[in-house]
Structures are given as structure tokens and as C-alpha cells.
């Protein structure tokens, strides 16, 4: 079942159960997927769908940080609930050990050995893990590997 089909089924379920948070998040995600499809001009691949979901999750994380700084506990709780719904649609995230292995393999491919190779290594690693790992975690692992 494609992600779009899954979203349609989940919208119906959320409507029946009157779960307003889930319904709004699923509709937002469906809209983001449709916008990306229009932007690219073709049906989205699984990887492109995962990127859209990851982008939505990153936006929620950024909002959460802002709300916490501002002391808006009501919005913090709401954003956390929205993130919980979005989490269902994210692909299985790579573990730290799996990321380290991908970084090591990529470094061997391009023969990256020093901090000067950071940019090249990131360019090689990110397409391999896009949507399945947080960019900041990849950044930390690559920095640690090159030191």
C-alpha cells in the first residue's frame, strides 16, 4: 500500500474516531506530499515520500524548540502530539552503528581521511541515508570519524 493510500485510510479512521490532532496532521502531510508531487511533476518515489515526511518532522522539531524557549507549554504539548502522529509515517530510522558503518564505507570509497574531506564525505553519505537518519546525527558521526 502506498503512503497516499495509507493516508486516505488513516484520514477516514481519524474522522470516525474524531481524533482532531491526527486528522489535521494527516491532512497536512497529504497536502505536503501533493505539493511535492506537483513541484516535481511526477509520482513520488518511496524515497521522495520519506523525504517529505522527514521534512515535516523537522519542521515540527524546530517549532517544538521555539515553543519551549518561549515557555508555551500548551503549544509544546500540541506539537509533541503532532510529532507522535508523524512518527508513524517515517521509515525505520538507522541506528548509530549502521550510520557509522555507512560513513566508514563511504569514506573508503572516496578515500576521505582528514577534516578537509568533510564536505565530500557528507555529500556521499547524505543521499544514502536521506529520510532514514537525522542530518545533525550524520554530521556528528562524520566529524567524529574524520578526527
Amino acid at each position: 500500500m502506498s503512503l497516499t493510500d495509507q493516508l486516505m485510510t488513516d484520514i477516514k479512521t481519524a474522522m470516525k474516531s474524531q481524533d482532531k490532532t491526527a486528522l489535521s496532521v494527516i491532512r497536512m502531510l497529504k497536502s505536503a506530499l501533493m505539493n511535492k508531487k506537483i513541484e516535481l511533476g511526477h509520482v513520488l518515489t518511496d524515497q521522495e515520500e520519506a523525504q517529505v515526511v522527514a521534512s515535516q518532522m523537522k519542521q515540527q522539531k524546530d517549532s517544538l524548540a521555539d515553543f519551549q524557549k518561549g515557555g508555551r507549554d500548551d503549544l509544546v504539548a500540541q506539537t509533541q502530539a503532532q510529532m507522535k502522529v508523524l512518527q508513524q509515517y517515517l521509515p525505520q530510522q538507522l541506528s548509530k552503528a549502521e550510520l557509522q558503518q555507512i560513513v566508514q564505507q563511504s569514506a573508503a570509497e572516496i578515500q576521505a581521511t582528514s577534516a578537509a574531506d568533510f564536505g565530500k564525505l557528507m555529500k556521499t553519505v547524505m543521499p544514502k541515508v536521506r529520510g532514514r537518519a537525522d542530518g545533525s546525527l550524520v554530521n556528528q558521526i562524520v566529524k567524529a570519524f574524520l578526527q
Side-chain angles (χ1 to χ4, degrees):
M1 177 184 290
S2 74
L3 182 58
T4 306
D5 294 338
Q6 179 67 40
L7 290 173
M8 290 305 297
T9 302
D10 291 348
I11 284 174
K12 290 175 188 173
T13 304
M15 289 173 103
K16 287 178 183 175
S17 66
Q18 298 182 353
D19 186 349
K20 291 180 183 178
T21 302
L23 185 60
S24 69
V25 171
I26 295 167
R27 283 181 174 162
M28 173 196 62
L29 182 56
K30 185 174 179 272
S31 174
L33 288 166
M34 190 59 84
N35 288 339
K36 189 67 166 182
K37 179 181 174 184
I38 292 168
E39 177 187 325
L40 296 177
H42 62 81
V43 176
L44 299 178
T45 64
D46 289 343
Q47 186 174 6
E48 290 168 337
E49 287 177 343
Q51 287 174 349
V52 171
V53 176
S55 171
Q56 293 296 314
M57 182 62 92
K58 184 174 181 342
Q59 287 177 5
Q60 293 294 328
K61 285 181 183 177
D62 292 344
S63 296
L64 181 66
D66 290 341
F67 295 148
Q68 287 172 334
K69 284 181 194 172
R72 296 291 310 267
D73 295 333
D74 56 329
L75 294 176
V76 167
Q78 180 182 0
T79 304
Q80 287 173 334
Q82 291 172 346
M83 289 172 65
K84 196 172 190 179
V85 173
L86 268 177
Q87 188 70 38
Q88 300 171 31
Y89 301 104
L90 278 175
Q92 182 66 34
Q93 298 294 294
L94 295 171
S95 70
K96 195 169 184 176
E98 290 170 324
L99 281 173
Q100 289 171 334
Q101 183 178 2
I102 290 170
V103 168
Q104 289 172 351
Q105 290 171 351
S106 298
E109 288 172 16
I110 65 168
Q111 300 171 348
T113 56
S114 69
D117 298 324
F118 178 80
K120 285 194 319 187
L121 187 53
M122 284 296 289
K123 283 182 186 176
T124 306
V125 172
M126 284 309 292
K128 294 178 182 179
V129 301
R130 190 162 319 279
R132 299 184 300 147
D134 182 40
S136 61
L137 178 61
V138 175
N139 187 319
Q140 290 172 358
I141 291 173
V142 169
K143 280 183 181 176
F145 178 78
L146 291 176
Q147 288 182 359

